[in-house]
Amino acid sequence: MSVATTGQESVTTFRSSAARSMWVDTVQRLLRNPQGAIAVGGLLIIAIAAVAAPLIAWHDPIAQDASARLLSPSWNHPFGTDELRRDLFSRNLHGLKTALALSFISVLTGAVIGTMTGFAVGYIRGWADAVVMRLVDALLAFPGLLIAFAILTILGEGLENIGIAIAVFAIPGFTRLARAQMLGERNKDYVLAAQVLGASTPRIIFRHIVLNALPPLLTQVALAIASGVLIVAALGYFGLGIEADTPSLGGLVNDSRPYLQRAWWYPVFPGAILAFLLLCLNLFADAINEAISPYARGRS
């Protein structure tokens, strides 16, 4: 075995153990932070409610009860019923499931594409970096809801097209952040050592740099999911992209407008669920940002 190979393996082992220690330390600081603990607990409750919606909600979200028009909350209908005699507890949970699953999958897709693109152009630089960043700047000039309107106009309605819109909206932010992280890491000593030892460009990017550049991107993931949830809710409120029978939190708020005086519970519960979800995501983003901060690390 050559000296270069042995040295490269030693560097890789050291970087991997240091990265694992950094991740464990970050998680510990996140959970010790009351804000982070509340956010994690709230997100776990939301995730369980969304995943187990078919089991928790014992009524069919589109089934109609002949004697249950605009009933107030009760044991049988915890969130009451709507004007079409449908159980609002079931419709809220299924709407939460749709918003959360659609936002998470779409943001994850956009994050992977944007992060890989940002890492690549940040490491290679040159004309590819200039072209990609000009495209990113152009996309960042448009609000996410406007991008969603444009994509739905071109591709038509449907949950899949809403997911594409959210992914397209997420890509520029992750590309810019990943590029900035790459520019900050590419000239550090451990990268130069890997280059001297003959490591390939993909290995340097995805084996060495990514481990150190990834934590700030987690903050962006939480914020992007929150933005995705808002886009889904806004489209549901406007009746775009989501079929009428498909429960959506924004659609429930919109449907409740004619009945605000008669049925206070109709808009309150979907609004409260949206507010709680967005609060938890923003608290989670702030807690992660504090956990990975070098100042927080120094205080601990």
Side-chain angles (χ1 to χ4, degrees), residues 244-266:
D245 288 339
T246 302
S248 69
L249 297 177
L252 290 172
V253 174
N254 182 50
D255 293 340
S256 69
R257 290 185 302 154
Y259 311 100
L260 294 179
Q261 295 182 347
R262 294 179 54 192
W264 58 266
W265 59 88
Y266 201 161

Side-chain angles (χ1 to χ4, degrees), residues 202-293:
R203 182 182 180 87
I204 292 174
I205 294 175
F206 297 108
R207 187 68 182 271
H208 298 279
I209 298 179
V210 165
L211 294 176
N212 290 301
L214 197 58
L217 292 168
L218 295 178
T219 303
Q220 181 68 14
V221 168
L223 295 175
I225 292 176
S227 298
V229 169
L230 283 176
I231 291 175
V232 175
L235 292 174
Y237 182 85
F238 291 119
L240 298 174
I242 300 177
E243 297 179 358
D245 288 339
T246 302
S248 69
L249 297 177
L252 290 172
V253 174
N254 182 50
D255 293 340
S256 69
R257 290 185 302 154
Y259 311 100
L260 294 179
Q261 295 182 347
R262 294 179 54 192
W264 58 266
W265 59 88
Y266 201 161
V268 165
F269 289 112
I273 291 173
L274 271 175
F276 183 66
L277 174 57
L278 295 175
L279 175 64
C280 289
L281 287 171
N282 280 276
L283 288 177
F284 186 65
D286 289 342
I288 290 179
N289 187 50
E290 184 174 342
I292 64 178
S293 170

